[in-house]
Amino acid sequence: MNKFFIRLLPLAILVSAIAVGSAFGAAKKPVAKKPVAKSAVKPAPKPAPRPAIISSTQLKGDQAKFEQEYSLGKDSPINIVVHSAEYSVARVVTSGEMDFPMANEKYLIVKMTLRNPQPSELFIRYDSLKITAITADSVNFDCQNWVLTGGNSLSMTVKPAQKIEAVAYIKVPANENIPKLMFKSSDDLVLRYDLRDKIKPLVAPFADSSDPKGATALATVPGQLGAYCDLGEWDFKLDSAAYTTEPPKETSLNDENNHYLVISGSFKNGGPAEYYFRYDSVAPTVTTADGDDIESRGMMELASRHEWVALNMKKNQEIKVRIYFEMSKDVTPKVFTMKMQDGTRAFSWDLSTMSL
């Protein structure tokens, strides 16, 4: 090989290496990026809110608890929070209607919050969920009366996530302490509540003092002089009692040795509308010291006209009355009792404590 070419070869190799290195260096040089306008930057979409469903499956056993939210139903769920339970014998007035327990009944009242967990509107009424009170002997009593806390019957469309406050009234036996409560959806999913030691008891004068749990309601309740009592459709107040020989209109004493015991009091329409009221709308009775029951001879209205009671009474209207009982002057009246009819809860007053 030519000696001159051999001498030049290392120089050529060196020049080539420098050229290649320069090319690689140029490729690694950072390229300035064009700034992007803030308006063109789209924030990441927020996740859609999820309803606060605590439980979406059927509970086994008595697992549901007060103040805990549960979702009941698979196809059309409703969320439930039960707040409290209590016993009562007072009338229930809703949406122009009235109901009350009979003497052998009381109410189990359940207060709750309902919520729509669905993404669309939901129609809820009393039969959207079945509520059942269960006795210790496994006898079931179903709820027929759901009420909004505003006083209207439960029947409304609820928006997504909307909450409503509702009350369920369940008629149960007057002498039973209810240990279980069950909610059932239309697709037969169930919530069960253990009510033992969780129900607010009845109080005097409605509670039977012989029941330490306050779960037994009296069929005949001690009345208080001068205070209204709830007979069901009507309220009654006993004001005084006295004897007289003066007969009411178009009547006379059956025996000259008899006289009248006159009960003076007032009636008030306790319902939501106008109702017809007359002397036989109620069943007043006087029981003697010998245990005999005496029915009234009639009831007179103390108004501008002294007439037998027979009139339409508006809501909350009051009338004063006198109720006449004919009896021998030798008979001692002991107890006065007022009730609506057979089977309804009665109120009684001890006449021996009154000045006759």
Side-chain angles (χ1 to χ4, degrees), residues 274-315:
E274 182 176 284
Y275 294 100
Y276 183 68
F277 180 73
R278 70 176 197 171
Y279 66 91
D280 56 357
S281 297
V282 291
T285 305
V286 167
T287 303
T288 70
D290 296 327
D292 298 324
D293 290 335
I294 301 175
E295 296 182 357
S296 74
R297 287 285 304 274
M299 184 191 305
M300 303 294 291
E301 180 187 357
L302 301 182
S304 57
R305 295 183 306 158
H306 194 66
E307 299 287 347
W308 299 111
V309 173
L311 74 161
N312 288 315
M313 289 180 61
K314 297 179 181 180
K315 179 181 178 180

Side-chain angles (χ1 to χ4, degrees), residues 58-335:
Q58 178 179 357
L59 295 178
K60 297 180 180 179
D62 298 329
Q63 297 183 19
K65 297 179 180 180
F66 284 12
E67 302 299 344
Q68 176 72 60
E69 185 171 4
Y70 299 95
S71 186
L72 184 60
K74 182 178 180 181
D75 298 330
S76 184
I78 299 175
N79 279 24
I80 304 167
V81 180
V82 173
H83 301 297
S84 64
E86 62 185 90
Y87 292 128
S88 173
V89 295
R91 73 169 70 90
V92 179
V93 178
T94 59
S95 304
E97 298 182 356
M98 174 173 49
D99 193 21
F100 50 88
M102 301 296 279
N104 62 347
E105 298 173 324
K106 63 177 178 284
Y107 280 123
L108 172 63
I109 301 177
V110 181
K111 297 180 180 180
M112 70 196 81
T113 298
L114 304 177
R115 185 170 71 85
N116 177 11
Q118 303 183 36
S120 58
E121 291 184 339
L122 177 65
F123 181 72
I124 301 178
R125 67 174 194 173
Y126 70 92
D127 56 356
S128 297
L129 293 171
K130 184 179 180 180
I131 306 181
T132 303
I134 306 172
T135 69
D137 296 330
S138 298
V139 180
N140 293 349
F141 294 89
D142 295 331
C143 175
Q144 301 295 333
N145 198 353
W146 283 54
V147 180
L148 295 169
T149 53
N152 295 321
S153 295
L154 177 58
S155 181
M156 64 179 298
T157 299
V158 182
K159 296 179 181 180
Q162 181 182 353
K163 295 180 180 181
I164 57 174
E165 305 301 319
V167 184
Y169 293 85
I170 311 172
K171 286 183 179 178
V172 297
N175 60 350
E176 290 273 0
N177 195 17
I178 304 299
K180 295 180 182 179
L181 181 70
M182 182 175 70
F183 286 74
K184 180 182 287 188
S185 66
S186 58
D187 46 10
D188 293 333
L189 294 182
V190 171
L191 289 175
R192 296 183 178 90
Y193 291 82
D194 184 350
L195 297 183
R196 288 173 294 183
D197 300 321
K198 295 182 177 66
I199 303 176
K200 183 178 178 180
L202 292 161
V203 296
F206 308 101
D208 187 338
S209 59
S210 66
D211 180 359
K213 293 187 176 295
T216 301
L218 293 171
T220 301
V221 180
Q224 182 179 349
L225 189 66
Y228 271 110
C229 58
D230 174 3
L231 299 178
E233 292 180 357
W234 313 100
D235 291 333
F236 175 74
K237 178 177 65 173
L238 174 61
D239 294 324
S240 63
Y243 291 120
T244 184
T245 56
E246 182 181 349
K249 183 178 180 180
E250 300 172 353
T251 63
S252 60
L253 289 167
N254 293 318
D255 192 296
E256 62 180 11
N257 292 321
N258 291 353
H259 60 178
Y260 293 106
L261 172 65
V262 181
I263 301 293
S264 297
S266 301
F267 279 98
K268 181 171 66 174
N269 180 359
E274 182 176 284
Y275 294 100
Y276 183 68
F277 180 73
R278 70 176 197 171
Y279 66 91
D280 56 357
S281 297
V282 291
T285 305
V286 167
T287 303
T288 70
D290 296 327
D292 298 324
D293 290 335
I294 301 175
E295 296 182 357
S296 74
R297 287 285 304 274
M299 184 191 305
M300 303 294 291
E301 180 187 357
L302 301 182
S304 57
R305 295 183 306 158
H306 194 66
E307 299 287 347
W308 299 111
V309 173
L311 74 161
N312 288 315
M313 289 180 61
K314 297 179 181 180
K315 179 181 178 180
N316 294 324
Q317 181 179 348
E318 298 179 69
I319 60 170
K320 291 185 178 296
V321 300
R322 284 179 180 163
I323 309 170
Y324 290 80
F325 296 88
E326 182 178 352
M327 63 188 67
S328 170
K329 294 178 181 178
D330 298 329
V331 169
T332 301
K334 184 178 181 181
V335 176

Side-chain angles (χ1 to χ4, degrees), residues 26-46:
K28 290 181 181 180
K29 186 177 182 180
V31 178
K33 295 183 180 180
K34 185 184 288 187
V36 180
K38 290 184 179 180
S39 60
V41 179
K42 295 183 179 180
K46 296 181 179 181

